[in-house]
Structure formats: structure tokens, C-alpha cells
Amino acid sequence: MESCPSVKNILLLDSEGNRVAVKYYSDDWPTNSSKEAFEKSVFTKTQKTNARTEAEIAMFENNIVIYKFAQDLHFFVTGGDDENELIISTVLQGFFDAVNLLLRGNVDKKEALENLDLILLCLDEIVDGGIILETDSNVIAGKVASHSVDSGAPLSEQTISQALATAREHLTRSLLNV
Amino acid sequence: MAQFVKKDDDRDEEEYSPFLGIEKGSVLQEARVFNDPQLDSRRCSQVITKLLYLLNQGETFTKVEATEVFFAVTKLFQSKDIGLRRMVYLIIKELSPSSDEVIIVTSSLMKDMNSKTDVYRANAIRVLCRITDGTLLTQIERYLKQAIVDKNPVVASAALVSGIHLLQTNPEIVKRWSNEVQEAVQSRAALVQFHALALLHQIRQNDRLAVSKLVTSLTRGTVRSPLAQCLLIRYTSQVIRESSMNNQSGDRPFYDYLEGCLRHKAEMVIFEAARAITELNGVTSRELTPAITVLQLFLSSSKPVLRFAAVRTLNKVAMTHPMAVTNCNIDMESLISDQNRSIATLAITTLLKTGNESGVDRLMKQITNFMSDIADEFKIVVVDAIRSLCLKFPLKYRSLMNFLSNILREEGGFEYKKAIVDSIVILIRDIPDAKESGLLHLCEFIEDCEFTYLSTQILHFLGVEGPKTSDPSKYIRYIYNRVILENATVRASAVSTLAKFGAMVDSLKPRIFILLRRCLYDNDDEVRDRATLYLNTLGGDGSVVETDKDVKDFLFGSLDIPLVNLETSLKNYEPTEEQFDISSVPKEVKSQPLAEKKSAGKKPTALGAPPAAPTSTVDAYEKLLSSIPEFSTFGQLFKSSAPVELTEAETEYAVNVVKHIFDKHVVFQYNCTNTIPEQLLENVIVVVDASEAEEFAEVATKPLKALPYDTPGQTFVAFEKQEGVLAVGRFSNELKFIVKEVDPSTGEAEEDGVEDEYQLEDSEIVAADYMLKVGVSNFRNAWESLGPDFERIDEYGLGPRESLSEAVNAVINLLGMQPCEGTEVVAANSRSHSCLLSGVYIGNVKVLVRLSFGVDSSKEVAMKLAVRSEDESVSDAIHEIVAN
């Protein structure tokens, strides 16, 4: 185990196991049908568990899968079986919280699909080709949200700190909604 | 985004989705907006999202479609909208354009790479590196190097991560960036340091010294992110592993660092360090304790992930150091009721490994409740653990066997049932007392078994074991019931089993014949044929005769021909006047890929060939050797060494040797691989010069007929030596063969070959080859029970040595014995050390050794050697090994 920690896939499925957004970083599932088969088995084996307050964990075909549910969305992150579980769990938490920020606390399938561009950008900011880019949800959401301001504004001048401010604003808004 | 929605009259509010009814064709049409002179960036973003949605759902674009979309997308670089640009980056990565298309976007991306906007820079780097090839890379290399040390962490990380990916495809280019990467390792940004460390290690991973230096400097410095800290822990354990291999010293330079990480504030780091400690080679219980303590704390965490990680690691530790884990047993027991079944299963199997004999019954009660509500895959794990527990405490077989038979009766799938049956079979083989009850459990199981495969396997096993029991007749009823009630496959194997009883137990013969005769009217050909065959060969024509040995061998002996060869011969046989002659089938084992043998050796397969014990590498070798007639008279194989390479890596021919030790013989097995596709080697032999090994006389060689490209094959040379003599020596080896050119396009070899030879490195037979490393669980007990009858004690001066631990390791390696209780590790700076060794000497003689070392100020090492064994001459022999 001298290798860099790596993520094999990140899945966001709905309450029936259908894809909302998925991203694979490993060759373990070369075809779409093998991917779907993996998603199906992961979904069916985890759907009855209660992974709403704390992230849960399971093993599949020599992989560790760590997952958490919110409303009708199921979040999964997969790593190899000798990977440090807590690293994978940090990635999941980062993804989960960043989505929560980006959807302003309305974490459900409808909202996720309506903001699919944000979800896809979010995935892109968390992991690059299996290597963890960022796990801090505020930073992730900040990077993604940096453009969701009105397109008319001179966005090229916008900086990371402004982006972070946007994210923070989202956070406070989401807190107010609750 | 409401305009996404297709007009759909019977739209269900609950199933509302912006992508409802989306179609590839129409989205591709929509993509035309990318070409509008006045770009509507909002609309363009939406169309890209739709395209990405389609790809994400598994939709594929044809080559033409993808190219069209790609070209349209490149137009969008005109827009200044940052959000749209991000989506453009995403879709370019997803479309993964071909190299001639890449050129179109290269200049746009390079412009973004030098933009003032950090988001552009970072993303453009990632996109460009993803789609680029080697030639383009040299053009942008300059910018990438700059980016690595960019003051914006996002940009630096993007460049570093891209570097990690590029290292796979263009290592020579990325390796030139070492200086910049080195600088980035010192970055104040946490994640930049993490990415830089990962890249730097990958660049240097083949340079042990550099890795060691890197670890040394960083373990003293500051590491900012937990992720980087985890990486450093991994690299540190690599250094520890390699250094202990090289200089054989017992002290661990970086252990303190690992232990320090156990007090880190991030759980991720604590766990990584604890796991690294448990995985150290030959870890001592003193080293283990702090790691076990933190893992124990995790066991009662509220987070399932932490509990899982801890219990999984402890489970692994329990395999090698069960005593170290017993402290956690109470926490572990409370995990049996954990909501997460994976955690519960791991907890149970850990308890099964660490439990003592008296606790077994209580544990079994807990497990029985637990078994009913877990999935089959977990049950299999538990069954495996129970099997090993039973082998560990044979006295407890009754309750464990009962448990197995109970769960055998419950619902379950094939894999699960097979695991149970396999376990029972193994217990029957290894625990003689368990045989009768185990067989009856199996009999009851086949009365109501829905799996044909299991029924036939059990019937076969019954045929082998049943006749040897005290009352074979009680099994007949179960077996004959199969003939009445089952499908043809099971019926046929039941007939064979009946015949076996008939052949082995003379008193049952008349009754068996009656039963077999009834089978003559079966409506299946195979069943009838078998019944007829057995009736005729066993003399079922009324007269009760002693079945002679030939018949038994013919019917039930093992087939000494490889089935593969028989199959090919039968396929080649053309129906003519001439009868098929089984003796014409070659008995030579075709060169089989080594990997196959390894996989066969991994797991004990229970229901296999008749006298099969659990297979292991040794068994695989034994099978291989006994299939060669020249070696079949050598008797029981004592030991097979690990393969020793006789060639440098990456030479034309790769050869390694495995030494097989028998009582009076030594067989060298040369595993050869031909790495030249244009050559076929024939008549491959190894010419061995044993002039430096006087006590050995060559008795046989077994050439390898053909060695095609990349298919490993074996050739053998056998030597005779005197029994009981510890013969050692050095052998020089030369590979001889006829080489034939092969046309790579057709794969056909030319007719004529040329003789050639190839010098190999020498091989050696040393004293340690006659010793099996067999550990004992409790050395003191074993030592006491061997008694002082054949104890031999003497003292030796070992002369000046590099260090005490070097001396200890040298003696251990010389004797080839198993160090017990972690005593091979010498504490740093200690002046004396005792070491306990155990092993089995050739002739299956158990040997225990106690070594006491002392060192004086001039590094002069003295040693006291006490040997106990079951045989006087063996105790003396051990002393001789050391004395020489």
C-alpha cells in the first residue's frame, strides 16, 4: 500500500436506484451495463439501511462503499478494499455537504435534477481521475457556485474569496429555511 | 430551467423531472444554438447540461455525432460567461476528442491557461492534460512547471494532479519537474502539499534512497493536511519494510513517528497509523499495544464507518496475534448486535479467532441468534471462521458440528450450503472422532437437498469414507433412497457409491448386488451402464467372490493420466478398426501457467479428488511431482522451497528453481519462461554440474519438450543422497535447448533448429532446506513437553558482528526455523537477547531451539544454543549446522 488514496466512483442515485449523476474513475466497470449492475446491487443491498444521520459502510466485490441518504437521494462513494475507510468517508461527507450547500438545503431529486449542472461541476471539483482534489464542502461549493451569479456581471473579475462569500450566503440561507 | 420540460400531457407531479422525455436526436438539434452569432450563454449551458445528462445516463454518441458536438462546443470559447466556460470544460472532458480534434481547442485552452482568472487556469490545465498527447505536452510543459508553483493553490493542485495522471503515459517528461514538485511539497496550502507529495513519491518510487530521504525530512517537518499525513504514513511503512529487508536489523527507525501519529487530531490519520503498525512485518506485542488501544476506542464510536474500520483491522490482527486482540473482546461482543451487519459479522469472526476453548459454547449461542438475520455472504464468512475454530479446538467438535448441521437444515443458497458442506467434510477428515456424526449429518442433508452438485459430491465422499466406518450398512438406506427419488445425475453417482460399498465391504456384497440389479431397469442410460459395469466387474453373477485388487484399482483408483491429455487424445481418435489405447495417452503434464497453480493453492477445496487433503502450494507441487513416473518412487515430499531466480529480470529466458526435498532425494524444478516471441525452444534441459556437491548423485532428468513464447514450462533434475545425512552443496546450472525460429505472423515454427545454451546462476542446497518453518503457539509448553531427554546445549563464539540483531538474524536464516513469539526482534542498544525457534526437521522430527546471545564492547558476539527434539541425532545435527 504505497499508493495514493483513490476513489473508484461517486454515485448519486434516486430512491428507486436510478441515476441522477454518476462518475467512474476506475476501469473495474468497463461497460455501461456493468456499471448499472454495480449500481443496482449497491442500491438494493443498502436501501433498507438507515444512513440518514451517520454515513454507513458496506463491502461489495472487494470494494468499500460508504453511503448516506437524504430525502429521495442516495449518495455513494466507492474505494478499493484496502483503502482507508475514513478517507473515503471524508470524500462522501464533502460531496454530501457541498450538494447541500449548492441546493440551499433542499436536497431532493427534483432540486438536484434542476441544478444538475451544479452537481456535475461539484463532482468535477471533488475528484480528478480518482485522485482526491478537495474534501472541504465550503471550498467545493465555493468553486462551483462562483459562476451561478447572474451571467451579465463581469464574472472574469470574480475571485475565489467572492465565490466563497456566495457559498456562505447559501449556507446561511439554508439555515434560515430550516 | 423550466423550459427544459417537454410538453407532456399526462405529466405526474411526483415524477416531475426537467429531463422527462428527453431524446438524443432533439438535443443534438438544440446544440445548433452553439453556432448562433449572438450566443445565449444561459441557453447554451442548458443544452450542455442536457448533453451531459444523456452521457451520464449511459447514452453513447456515434463518432460523427461526437465530432459535430465537439466542433460546435469549441465555438463557445468566444463567450466570456464563466459559468458557460466551466460547462464547456466539462463536456470536452466527457467527449474525449481524438488527437486531430484536440488541436482545434489547444490554442483556446492555452490562452485560458495563462488567463488572469484562477478558475480558468486551473480548469484549462486539467482539461488540456486530460486530452493531450506527448507532443503537445512538450509545448505546454513550461506553463505546467510554472503552474505547479503558482501561488494559487487551486492552480497548483490542478497541475500536480494532472502530473500524477501524465506520469503513467509520459513519465520522462513529468520526471523533469522534480524541482518544482519538491518546492510544492513545502507549500503552505494543505492540499497542494498532499498532491505534491503524491507526485514526488511516484516520480521517485524506484529510488529507495530518495524515498527514504523524503520520509526522513518530512517526518521531522510539518505536514499540513490529514491526507498528506496519511500518505506519509504509507511511505514510512514502505521504508520500514524495505530497510528491514535490507539490513536485517531489528530496530525500527520510524516506529516512533507512527506511534506519534496515533495522537494526531484527525481520525483518518490515527487510523492510518494504527493500521500501518498492525501491518508491520513481525510486529511485536509491545509495538502493537498502542495501536490496538486506539482501535479499541473506535469500536465504541457512534460512527459506523469508524467502527467498521476498527473491527476490520482488528479482525486481520487476530489472524496473526490473537492474544493482542483479546483485550477488545468485551467491546467486540457488544458489536454482535450492531445495526450494520458487516460490522457484526466481522466482530463475530474476530471473536471466533480470539476466543478460548471455554468460551466456545457461549459464543455459539450468541451466533445462533445472529445467523437468522444476516445475508448469505456474511453467513459464509462465519462458517469459514467456525471451521478454523473447530480445527483449533478439536475437543469442541461436538457443539460446532451440531451448529453446522443445524444451519445446514435451514434455508440458504448454493454458495452458503457448499461452504457448510465443505466445512463438515474438512472436519471429518481432520478430526477422526467427528467422522461418524459428520457423515450422518451429510446423509440427512442429501435426503432433502435441492442442489445436484452438492448431492453428487457428498455421495462420492460417502463412497470413500463410508466403507471405512464401524457400521457401513447404516448408510446404504440413504444412498439407495437417492436412486429412487432423484434425478439421473444423482442416481448415477448413488449407483457408483453403492458399488464402492460393495467392493470394499464383503459382508454387504449380496445386498448391494440386489440393489444394483434393480438399477438395471432405470430409464437413464448412464445409470443403467454404471450398474451393469459394476455388476459385471464385481462378480455380481450370484457368486460372492473376493473382489480382487485389480478390479478395485480399475473402478475406484485414481486416474493417473491428466484429464486434459485424455480429452485431447479422445478428440483426435478416429473411429477405425483399431481400439483406443489408453496407454498411448501421454502422461506428461502439459506446461501449465503458474498463475493457475497458485490459485489452486489458495483456498482449501474440500470436495475434490478422492484422497484430497486441503490443497496448498506444497500439495500442488506434490501432485505435479507424483505425476512424473521417474519421481514417483521418491516417497513423501518433505519440503519445497520458494522459487529462487536464476536469471536477471528481463532477460531472454527467465528461469527460477524450486528445490524439492525428499528423504533420499532432491529434485530441482526449473520453471522456465521464454520471453522472445520469435522463438520456440525444444528439448529444454538444465545441465547441472554437481562437482561442488559431492554427496549428491544425479539420477534422473526430465526434459521439457517444447517451450513456446510466454507459456511457462518445467524441466526437472533429480539427485540422490544418503538418508539422514545433511548433505549440502553448490550446483552450477546451464540451460540447453534447441531453438527454432517462429514466424510471428503465422505462429508457425521452422523445421530446423539450432542447439544453444544459456548460462544460469548457481543454485545451492543449504542446511535450512532440510528444515520446515513450523511455529508453535506456546513455546514454553512445547519445550516442556518435549522433555530434556535429547537436549543438547553448547556455546559458540560468533566473532565480531555488525550488530546483535544482525547476528540473531544470521543464525535464524542459517537454521531456517520459525522464530516464535516475536523474539526475532532485538531491542535497540540491548547487550543480550534470547530467541526462540521452532521447526520440523527432515524425517518429520519436531525441533525447538533456544538461543541466548550476548555482545561485548568490541562487538564480539557469544551464543548459547539449546536444542530439544524428538531424536538425539537431530539435536546433534542442529549443533553441527551451527558449528560448521
Side-chain angles (χ1 to χ4, degrees):
Chain A
M1 264 286 286
E2 290 99 45
S3 54
C4 187
S6 68
V7 172
K8 288 195 177 180
N9 65 43
I10 301 183
L11 314 175
L12 179 57
L13 307 179
D14 72 5
S15 55
E16 277 150 26
N18 301 316
R19 276 181 196 168
V20 175
V22 297
K23 188 78 190 150
Y24 284 81
Y25 307 101
S26 107
D27 306 329
D28 295 10
W29 304 274
T31 61
N32 189 48
S33 53
S34 61
K35 290 182 176 114
E36 278 174 346
F38 178 77
E39 287 158 29
K40 187 160 188 281
S41 87
V42 167
F43 178 79
T44 32
K45 282 192 188 165
T46 58
Q47 62 172 336
K48 292 217 180 74
T49 53
N50 181 15
R52 292 183 186 270
T53 45
E54 291 285 357
E56 278 287 347
I57 180 164
M59 306 249 345
F60 290 92
E61 310 156 11
N62 299 325
N63 290 308
I64 325 170
V65 178
I66 301 190
Y67 55 97
K68 199 168 177 183
F69 306 154
Q71 310 253 29
D72 52 358
L73 285 179
H74 294 204
F75 296 73
F76 302 88
V77 177
T78 307
D81 87 342
D82 54 357
E83 195 47 82
N84 181 332
E85 292 88 342
L86 304 181
I87 293 181
I88 304 291
S89 154
T90 315
V91 175
L92 175 79
Q93 200 62 44
F95 178 42
F96 186 88
D97 293 345
V99 169
N100 193 20
L101 286 173
L102 291 166
L103 301 182
R104 298 161 198 212
N106 303 322
V107 184
D108 59 28
K109 181 186 175 187
K110 176 167 169 280
E111 198 71 18
L113 283 174
E114 282 182 352
N115 295 288
L116 189 69
D117 49 346
L118 300 186
I119 306 271
L120 292 172
L121 285 173
C122 180
L123 286 172
D124 187 57
E125 293 292 353
I126 295 172
V127 172
D128 182 295
I131 296 171
I132 300 164
L133 273 182
E134 180 58 76
T135 57
D136 183 330
S137 53
N138 284 314
V139 181
I140 298 167
K143 286 202 231 168
V144 174
S146 64
H147 80 282
S148 63
V149 188
D150 187 14
S151 55
L155 281 156
S156 52
E157 301 323 310
Q158 197 176 23
T159 62
I160 284 290
S161 59
Q162 278 171 298
L164 272 171
T166 324
R168 246 175 257 131
E169 186 196 340
H170 288 160
L171 178 65
T172 34
R173 256 192 259 165
S174 69
L175 288 174
L176 287 174
N177 287 344
V178 175
Chain B
M1 285 198 188
Q3 67 213 65
F4 267 20
V5 186
K6 296 264 158 197
K7 291 234 163 56
D8 199 347
D9 291 338
D10 50 25
R11 198 180 81 203
D12 187 346
E13 253 328 292
E14 274 177 54
E15 270 303 304
Y16 167 77
S17 153
F19 302 104
L20 203 68
I22 189 169
E23 263 177 285
K24 183 171 88 171
S26 61
V27 179
L28 289 173
Q29 290 280 327
E30 282 183 63
R32 290 191 179 153
V33 297
F34 299 165
N35 296 319
D36 283 356
Q38 282 297 313
L39 281 176
D40 176 353
S41 46
R42 196 181 165 79
R43 177 141 172 70
C44 291
S45 276
Q46 284 163 356
V47 176
I48 293 182
T49 310
K50 284 189 195 175
L51 290 167
L52 288 170
Y53 174 81
L54 286 173
L55 287 170
N56 217 297
Q57 294 296 320
E59 186 77 70
T60 48
F61 294 163
T62 63
K63 184 82 186 99
V64 179
E65 287 165 350
T67 311
E68 218 162 85
V69 171
F70 176 73
F71 277 112
V73 163
T74 57
K75 303 259 170 43
L76 299 178
F77 275 100
Q78 294 166 17
S79 165
K80 292 262 178 286
D81 185 307
I82 203 167
L84 177 58
R85 186 67 57 88
R86 299 285 301 278
M87 296 310 284
V88 170
Y89 293 142
L90 265 192
I91 187 117
I92 291 178
K93 279 200 269 190
E94 287 298 325
L95 289 172
S96 48
S98 61
S99 55
D100 48 329
E101 294 167 353
V102 169
I103 298 168
I104 313 288
V105 282
T106 308
S107 62
S108 305
L109 286 170
M110 275 169 74
K111 204 174 130 214
D112 283 358
M113 258 175 81
N114 294 297
S115 146
K116 286 204 183 71
T117 317
D118 294 328
V119 185
Y120 279 177
R121 285 216 302 284
N123 278 290
I125 288 170
R126 285 173 57 197
V127 176
L128 200 49
C129 290
R130 171 71 57 85
I131 60 177
T132 193
D133 59 3
T135 47
L136 186 60
L137 192 57
T138 38
Q139 289 178 44
I140 59 169
E141 191 187 351
R142 190 161 58 90
Y143 304 114
L144 288 175
K145 279 173 153 183
Q146 268 170 26
I148 289 174
V149 290
D150 196 294
K151 63 179 189 307
N152 183 302
V154 183
V155 176
S157 279
L160 287 163
V161 171
S162 301
I164 296 175
H165 296 314
L166 289 169
L167 192 63
Q168 313 302 324
T169 48
N170 295 288
E172 64 298 330
I173 296 179
V174 181
K175 278 179 182 163
R176 293 201 290 256
W177 308 348
S178 295
N179 286 337
E180 285 77 13
V181 180
Q182 185 100 48
E183 199 182 323
V185 170
Q186 306 303 330
S187 164
R188 301 187 62 82
L191 281 156
V192 174
Q193 191 183 37
F194 163 60
H195 294 131
L197 183 56
L199 179 54
L200 190 63
H201 178 262
Q202 281 190 19
I203 291 176
R204 306 225 167 128
Q205 60 184 344
N206 293 322
D207 180 353
R208 278 187 194 165
L209 196 66
V211 173
S212 172
K213 269 189 193 156
L214 178 69
V215 168
T216 314
S217 73
L218 279 173
T219 47
R220 291 197 197 113
T222 39
V223 179
R224 287 187 176 79
S225 85
L227 280 171
Q229 194 77 259
C230 287
L231 267 189
L232 188 55
I233 291 171
R234 289 182 193 185
Y235 302 156
T236 306
S237 24
Q238 182 195 3
V239 171
I240 294 179
R241 194 160 49 241
E242 279 164 4
S243 67
S244 68
M245 269 186 328
N246 285 341
N247 59 25
Q248 301 278 339
S249 72
D251 51 336
R252 297 189 203 276
F254 293 106
Y255 175 78
D256 290 343
Y257 165 73
L258 291 181
E259 204 200 334
C261 287
L262 294 176
R263 293 182 289 276
H264 197 274
K265 60 181 187 300
E267 282 161 346
M268 180 198 290
V269 177
I270 300 175
F271 174 67
E272 185 77 40
R275 190 170 70 158
I277 291 178
T278 63
E279 285 169 2
L280 289 174
N281 279 334
V283 64
T284 62
S285 27
R286 199 167 51 85
E287 288 170 321
L288 264 180
T289 313
I292 302 287
T293 312
V294 298
L295 291 173
Q296 187 176 1
L297 286 176
F298 284 175
L299 286 180
S300 43
S301 160
S302 64
K303 294 182 192 160
V305 176
L306 263 182
R307 295 199 299 273
F308 177 90
V311 75
R312 189 157 78 117
T313 310
L314 289 171
N315 189 315
K316 273 191 205 133
V317 178
M319 290 182 200
T320 48
H321 297 80
M323 294 313 288
V325 186
T326 43
N327 279 343
C328 310
N329 277 2
I330 295 180
D331 304 87
M332 209 68 91
E333 279 183 31
S334 60
L335 288 183
I336 295 181
S337 53
D338 200 293
Q339 287 286 313
N340 185 320
R341 303 329 271 165
S342 311
I343 296 178
T345 312
L346 283 166
I348 287 213
T349 50
T350 315
L351 284 169
L352 288 174
K353 282 170 199 149
T354 59
N356 50 12
E357 195 154 355
S358 56
V360 169
D361 293 319
R362 192 168 57 93
L363 202 55
M364 295 317 293
K365 224 176 249 154
Q366 278 174 302
I367 297 176
T368 317
N369 299 330
F370 164 80
M371 286 301 263
S372 54
D373 54 36
I374 53 169
D376 271 12
E377 49 174 309
F378 296 133
K379 290 182 184 167
I380 293 173
V381 180
V382 175
V383 168
D384 285 346
I386 286 180
R387 180 179 62 215
S388 6
L389 182 73
C390 194
L391 294 176
K392 195 161 121 200
F393 302 124
L395 288 178
K396 285 285 164 195
Y397 80 87
R398 213 178 296 273
S399 65
L400 294 169
M401 189 66 101
N402 271 335
F403 176 81
L404 289 177
S405 73
N406 281 336
I407 56 175
L408 191 55
R409 267 182 244 126
E410 277 156 26
E411 286 293 300
F414 172 72
E415 289 298 329
Y416 173 45
K417 287 288 163 81
K418 182 166 180 300
I420 305 174
V421 171
D422 282 353
S423 298
I424 294 183
V425 167
I426 287 176
L427 296 187
I428 291 174
R429 282 208 184 107
D430 290 8
I431 306 171
D433 290 340
K435 187 190 236 174
E436 305 238 339
S437 64
L439 285 179
L440 277 176
H441 288 315
L442 291 179
C443 285
E444 273 164 30
F445 173 60
I446 52 172
E447 290 275 36
D448 186 23
C449 170
E450 53 187 313
F451 306 108
T452 301
Y453 174 84
L454 287 180
S455 292
T456 52
Q457 296 291 306
I458 290 175
L459 282 168
H460 174 81
F461 184 70
L462 271 177
V464 178
E465 295 292 338
K468 296 185 213 152
T469 55
S470 57
D471 181 13
S473 64
K474 67 180 169 198
Y475 303 107
I476 303 293
R477 178 171 63 90
Y478 296 102
I479 301 168
Y480 189 68
N481 277 347
R482 301 303 100 223
V483 179
I484 305 170
L485 299 167
E486 295 278 0
N487 62 40
T489 317
V490 180
R491 288 204 303 276
S493 52
V495 167
S496 297
T497 307
L498 281 177
K500 253 176 236 174
F501 274 82
M504 313 276 276
V505 189
D506 287 330
S507 58
L508 287 177
K509 214 168 253 181
R511 284 143 76 193
I512 296 275
F513 285 152
I514 297 172
L515 295 177
L516 283 179
R517 263 185 225 111
R518 288 191 197 155
C519 303
L520 291 174
Y521 305 102
D522 196 283
N523 53 18
D524 183 79
D525 291 351
E526 174 72 20
V527 180
R528 280 199 309 274
D529 285 356
R530 284 197 189 192
T532 315
L533 172 72
Y534 292 130
L535 278 171
N536 285 334
T537 44
L538 296 176
D541 43 2
S543 58
V544 176
V545 288
E546 186 112 337
T547 314
D548 68 5
K549 200 177 164 302
D550 289 347
V551 173
K552 274 190 202 166
D553 278 354
F554 167 65
L555 289 180
F556 310 119
S558 60
L559 193 62
D560 57 350
I561 303 164
L563 280 178
V564 193
N565 296 5
L566 182 60
E567 190 188 343
T568 8
S569 299
L570 281 171
K571 272 188 189 150
N572 294 338
Y573 173 72
E574 282 173 18
T576 50
E577 289 292 299
E578 213 174 314
Q579 285 191 341
F580 180 76
D581 182 7
I582 197 156
S583 59
S584 68
V585 179
K587 292 191 178 174
E588 185 178 6
V589 183
K590 285 261 171 59
S591 47
Q592 56 190 128
L594 278 170
E596 203 177 291
K597 256 199 298 190
K598 270 183 197 146
S599 67
K602 250 186 192 164
K603 234 188 168 178
T605 45
L607 295 157
T615 38
S616 65
T617 342
V618 179
D619 286 322
Y621 282 137
E622 199 165 4
K623 236 182 181 169
L624 178 69
L625 290 173
S626 59
S627 68
I628 300 166
E630 287 92 328
F631 306 148
S632 56
T633 56
F634 289 0
Q636 181 78 24
L637 175 63
F638 174 69
K639 178 184 180 179
S640 298
S641 74
V644 181
E645 296 298 333
L646 296 182
T647 49
E648 301 275 323
E650 292 163 22
T651 47
E652 299 98 303
Y653 315 112
V655 180
N656 64 44
V657 65
V658 176
K659 298 174 275 185
H660 301 290
I661 312 287
F662 293 87
D663 281 347
K664 283 195 285 184
H665 298 88
V666 172
V667 176
F668 288 122
Q669 173 187 339
Y670 297 93
N671 298 313
C672 314
T673 313
N674 170 9
T675 61
I676 307 175
E678 298 83 23
Q679 283 192 0
L680 170 71
L681 307 188
E682 289 190 347
N683 281 337
V684 183
I685 53 167
V686 175
V687 180
V688 183
D689 174 10
S691 55
E692 282 178 74
E694 290 161 7
E695 288 163 292
F696 294 90
E698 188 171 323
V699 287
T701 50
K702 176 114 185 96
L704 176 64
K705 267 200 182 143
L707 183 63
Y709 164 64
D710 208 23
T711 315
Q714 297 101 29
T715 161
F716 300 85
V717 181
F719 289 90
E720 195 170 32
K721 66 167 192 74
Q722 265 194 314
E723 189 168 358
V725 173
L726 185 87
V728 294
R730 196 174 185 80
F731 304 80
S732 61
N733 304 306
E734 191 176 53
L735 196 65
K736 271 202 165 172
F737 45 82
I738 296 168
V739 55
K740 290 185 174 174
E741 296 289 317
V742 173
D743 184 341
S745 53
T746 62
E748 303 253 330
E750 279 177 22
E751 283 285 307
D752 305 316
V754 191
E755 254 187 63
D756 201 357
E757 51 213 39
Y758 188 81
Q759 189 64 42
L760 304 175
E761 280 172 34
D762 292 355
S763 52
E764 253 188 310
I765 291 283
V766 294
D769 285 323
Y770 297 102
M771 185 69 78
L772 272 182
K773 278 191 178 188
V774 178
V776 289
S777 54
N778 186 331
F779 189 87
R780 177 190 276 273
N781 275 358
W783 181 263
E784 299 297 334
S785 65
L786 264 182
D789 299 353
F790 302 120
E791 178 166 327
R792 292 284 180 277
I793 303 179
D794 211 343
E795 289 181 16
Y796 300 89
L798 301 181
R801 308 296 288 205
E802 203 178 289
S803 72
L804 189 56
S805 59
E806 186 267 335
V808 172
N809 279 305
V811 176
I812 294 174
N813 288 339
L814 177 69
L815 293 175
M817 296 175 74
Q818 176 69 41
C820 301
E821 298 168 17
T823 51
E824 73 275 26
V825 181
V826 181
N829 297 328
S830 64
R831 318 290 310 161
S832 64
H833 183 73
S834 349
C835 181
L836 309 172
L837 304 175
S838 87
V840 170
Y841 191 68
I842 188 159
N844 281 328
V845 184
K846 205 193 234 178
V847 185
L848 296 172
V849 166
R850 265 188 155 146
L851 296 165
S852 311
F853 294 86
V855 63
D856 69 6
S857 52
S858 57
K859 299 221 161 180
E860 200 76 38
V861 177
M863 174 181 80
K864 185 171 137 189
L865 170 71
V867 187
R868 283 188 181 183
S869 75
E870 293 163 332
D871 186 328
E872 190 174 10
S873 62
V874 171
S875 298
D876 289 334
I878 302 293
H879 275 282
E880 259 170 57
I881 296 175
V882 177
N884 294 332

